């Protein structure tokens, strides 16, 4: 699946019209239609905006992978879920003394390796 199909799939998944997308990316409705038909492609900055908007990677949008999120993003979300399961909220980390934050960072780095 390539960009035109991915864009249309995401637009429909989020129940958006072409007009709503055109407003979100400050392009004409016709431009969205051309993208979805594969007759035109967004520039790289707009592609990055689209990926951010739908919370997917540009590789996913371009059809280079079927993974919507990067492995790094998945790791971070798993880490956040694990922290929340033991009762640590992100706000708690922000308000933690520096030495405790450094310990958490060291644990996270170990988790990634």
């Amino acid at each position: 699946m390539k960009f035109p199909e991915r864009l249309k799939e995401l637009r429909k998944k989020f129940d958006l019209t072409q007009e709503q997308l055109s407003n979100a990316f400050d392009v004409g409705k016709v431009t969205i239609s051309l993208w979805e038909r594969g007759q035109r492609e967004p520039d790289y900055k707009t592609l990055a905006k689209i990926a951010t908007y739908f919370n997917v990677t540009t590789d996913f949008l371009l059809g280079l992978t079927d993974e919507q999120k990067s492995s790094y993003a998945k790791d971070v979300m798993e880490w956040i879920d694990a922290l929340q399961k033991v009762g640590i909220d992100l706000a708690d980390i922000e308000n933690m003394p520096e030495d405790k934050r450094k310990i958490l960072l060291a644990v996270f780095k170990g988790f990634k390796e």
Side-chain angles (χ1 to χ4, degrees):
M1 193 179 288
K2 301 289 183 198
F3 175 75
E5 294 89 9
R6 290 275 163 93
L7 179 63
K8 189 172 186 175
E9 174 187 286
L10 287 166
R11 179 176 62 78
K12 288 184 174 194
K13 177 181 174 183
F14 286 89
D15 198 27
L16 298 167
T17 65
Q18 288 182 343
E19 185 172 1
Q20 288 170 314
L21 272 190
S22 71
N23 292 334
F25 303 119
D26 198 27
V27 297
K29 181 182 166 191
V30 172
T31 299
I32 300 295
S33 177
L34 291 171
W35 289 347
E36 288 185 355
R37 291 190 315 232
Q39 295 177 330
R40 192 179 280 177
E41 296 175 342
D43 60 44
Y44 69 92
K45 287 182 181 180
T46 305
L47 184 69
K49 287 179 187 177
I50 294 168
T52 301
Y53 184 85
F54 287 113
N55 196 25
V56 298
T57 65
T58 54
D59 283 354
F60 174 78
L61 282 176
L62 295 172
L64 300 174
T65 181
D66 290 332
E67 293 292 322
Q68 291 188 14
K69 306 240 187 281
S70 70
S71 60
Y72 175 75
K74 284 184 197 173
D75 288 345
V76 169
M77 291 310 297
E78 287 175 11
W79 177 246
I80 290 170
D81 287 343
L83 287 173
Q84 289 175 339
K85 283 179 184 173
V86 296
I88 299 174
D89 190 83
L90 291 178
D92 296 335
I93 296 171
E94 199 172 286
N95 297 323
M96 242 178 223
E98 183 66 25
D99 59 331
K100 290 189 178 187
R101 271 198 307 247
K102 285 182 181 180
I103 291 169
L104 271 178
L105 180 59
V107 169
F108 180 70
K109 284 182 179 177
F111 174 75
K112 286 288 295 165
E113 293 172 356

